[in-house]
Amino acid sequence: MSATEEAESLKMLFRNQHAFLLPKIMFTASDLGVFDLLMESKEPLTSVTIAERLGTSPFGMERLLDACVGYKFLQVERKENQTLYGNTNLANLYLGKRSPKTQYYSLKLNAEFVYMRAQHLADSVREGEAQTYRLSDSSTKKFYEAMYRSESGLREFMEYMHEMWSLCGRDVLNAFDLSNFPLVCDLGGNGALAKEYISLYPNSTVTILDLPEVVETGKKHFVSSEEHRITFHEGDFFKDPIPEADLYILARILHSFTDENCVHLLTRLNKACKPGGGVLVVEIVLNEDRTGPLEAHIYGLVMLLCTAGKERTLSEYNALLSAAGFKDIQQKKAILFDAILGRK
Ligand SMILES: C[S@@+](CC[C@H](N)C(=O)[O-])C[C@H]1O[C@@H](n2cnc3c(N)ncnc32)[C@H](O)[C@@H]1O
């Protein structure tokens, strides 16, 4: 290794060791209102002004702002001997609570819930939580129980789910021409993909099948009562009757469950599916040689910490879908996520 390479490795080592601070930095700055203030002020501000307007110590605020500059969430300019802070495009778009494509609830979930679970990563790796709970998938159930314990927790989790599809829902649904599937059932949906679907396909209707708490909150806060083409159906998709449909959407569902439970669920869908219908699985698919993408590895660890599931390669999804009776399985890449379509 050359001296330059070693210096680069040391730098990377240092940064990676401290990368645990990153979700905290992003969420703290967002939650305190730094990005909203800078977006709305229309001009860059000093750390003292930002601290004053947000009611924090100037000393602490300056540290936070400088770290945000280091990670390129903020930019600085020097004017008349003052350092002025302004948002980068990334902050304007995603990081403010009032940003047009805000990811606030995603930042919160990662900086609080997942961060806490990550304290136990070594235990999860040692015990292989997914294996321990293999038969009952009870770790996935426990995850939802923890999330849905309070109405505010449930709403925040649903906001988090919506945020992702506000960024890439349309792209995922555009991966295939789904115009031959007017009657849709989104399992474990919450309204975000359903809204995209009916706006893309004017003759379609979507039934959302989810747990009773989600259905209640979804009706109250996420889907307007004027939206007659979206209906809610409460139930447990492992046990309760599955509504008949041309297309079943499973977005970020299979990666929470064991292979056995995935095949059980997919088999139920295959039985309920209209002839000529299909299933659309939306997940981040692992490369066959498991070298990436990094996003799949990240989700894989989150699944290990929170559920009984895992990310899978296309061959692995193929095996699950085929075991349940689906054929003609095709994959299309969308932004961040992959869409896999299987036909009955
Ligand atoms: C990870 S979220 C995915 C939500 C949505 N499809 C998306 O991608 O944004 C999983 C969803 O499945 C629902 N869910 C989990 N287990 C379920 C079950 N046994 N029956 C029905 N819904 C379930 C949860 O309530 C939650 O809304």
Side-chain angles (χ1 to χ4, degrees):
M1 195 189 269
S2 72
T4 326
E5 280 168 345
E6 188 163 353
E8 274 311 306
S9 299
L10 276 179
K11 214 191 278 177
M12 189 189 268
L13 180 71
F14 184 92
R15 286 180 180 184
N16 287 346
Q17 280 182 66
H18 296 89
F20 70 94
L21 284 168
L22 189 49
K24 291 287 184 192
I25 295 168
M26 292 167 96
F27 176 62
T28 303
S30 181
D31 199 40
L32 288 173
V34 170
F35 305 117
D36 288 334
L37 175 68
L38 291 172
M39 194 163 47
E40 283 147 23
S41 87
K42 305 275 191 253
E43 56 173 10
L45 303 172
T46 65
S47 61
V48 173
T49 309
I50 297 171
E52 207 174 81
R53 301 230 189 125
L54 299 178
T56 74
S57 74
F59 183 80
M61 182 53 79
E62 191 180 50
R63 302 285 82 69
L64 179 66
L65 297 175
D66 288 342
C68 286
V69 173
Y71 281 110
K72 300 195 168 41
F73 309 138
L74 296 178
Q75 52 201 3
V76 273
E77 58 183 88
R78 291 282 296 168
K79 221 176 185 178
E80 292 156 13
N81 241 0
Q82 284 190 314
T83 302
L84 298 169
Y85 297 84
N87 283 346
T88 57
N89 289 338
L90 179 120
N92 273 332
L93 200 55
Y94 304 123
L95 302 185
K97 284 184 254 189
R98 294 188 286 276
S99 290
K101 294 186 174 183
T102 183
Q103 295 298 298
Y104 173 77
Y105 288 101
S106 172
L107 300 177
K108 184 169 164 63
L109 185 96
N110 283 303
E112 292 180 347
F113 188 83
V114 181
Y115 192 91
M116 293 297 288
R117 301 294 290 246
Q119 307 294 316
H120 306 291
L121 179 59
D123 291 335
S124 295
V125 171
R126 254 185 233 115
E127 290 159 21
E129 200 164 322
Q131 296 308 306
T132 311
Y133 295 105
R134 207 163 59 86
L135 291 177
S136 64
D137 273 15
S138 70
S139 57
T140 306
K141 274 192 201 131
K142 276 190 214 152
F143 170 76
Y144 288 112
E145 277 163 19
M147 274 293 156
Y148 299 169
R149 202 163 286 145
S150 66
E151 160 116 28
S152 62
L154 168 59
R155 259 193 88 168
E156 285 182 7
F157 186 62
M158 290 179 73
E159 294 282 3
Y160 154 72
M161 294 290 158
H162 272 248
E163 283 175 352
M164 178 55 78
W165 300 129
S166 76
L167 296 187
C168 44
R170 184 154 285 248
D171 190 60
V172 158
L173 294 179
N174 263 327
F176 290 98
D177 176 5
L178 303 172
S179 54
N180 286 333
F181 304 117
L183 190 60
V184 176
C185 179
D186 185 6
L187 293 111
N190 44 45
L193 274 182
K195 284 187 211 167
E196 291 292 344
Y197 200 95
I198 60 165
S199 85
L200 264 173
Y201 299 107
N203 297 322
S204 61
T205 54
V206 181
T207 301
I208 294 166
L209 170 60
D210 209 309
L211 300 170
E213 309 91 296
V214 176
V215 165
E216 193 187 321
T217 308
K219 277 186 195 161
K220 235 197 275 176
H221 302 290
F222 291 89
V223 175
S224 110
S225 55
E226 266 120 72
E227 194 38 84
H228 302 299
R229 287 163 58 211
I230 299 178
T231 50
F232 283 94
H233 187 98
E234 58 178 60
D236 178 334
F237 49 51
F238 286 116
K239 293 194 215 127
D240 294 322
I242 304 283
E244 192 185 42
D246 297 307
L247 182 71
Y248 293 96
I249 298 179
L250 287 171
R252 294 190 284 184
I253 300 293
L254 296 185
H255 76 163
S256 314
F257 294 103
T258 57
D259 288 352
E260 290 88 337
N261 279 287
C262 289
V263 172
H264 175 55
L265 174 58
L266 288 164
T267 305
R268 302 192 84 221
L269 302 189
N270 191 274
K271 282 201 184 114
C273 190
K274 285 179 146 196
V279 62
L280 183 75
V281 173
V282 180
E283 298 286 358
I284 306 180
V285 174
L286 265 173
N287 300 338
E288 288 299 323
D289 61 5
R290 309 186 84 81
T291 51
L294 182 58
E295 293 75 12
H297 295 316
I298 293 170
Y299 252 11
L301 280 182
V302 175
M303 289 305 112
L304 175 66
L305 291 169
C306 301
T307 75
K310 59 177 186 177
E311 304 311 306
R312 297 176 172 91
T313 62
L314 183 62
S315 308
E316 289 171 326
Y317 281 114
N318 259 319
L320 300 178
L321 287 157
S322 307
F326 288 101
K327 298 180 295 221
D328 304 330
I329 299 156
Q330 290 172 276
Q331 176 203 21
K332 294 260 169 93
K333 291 233 156 271
I335 302 172
L336 200 56
F337 286 87
D338 298 76
I340 303 168
L341 183 65
R343 306 296 291 251
K344 181 165 176 173

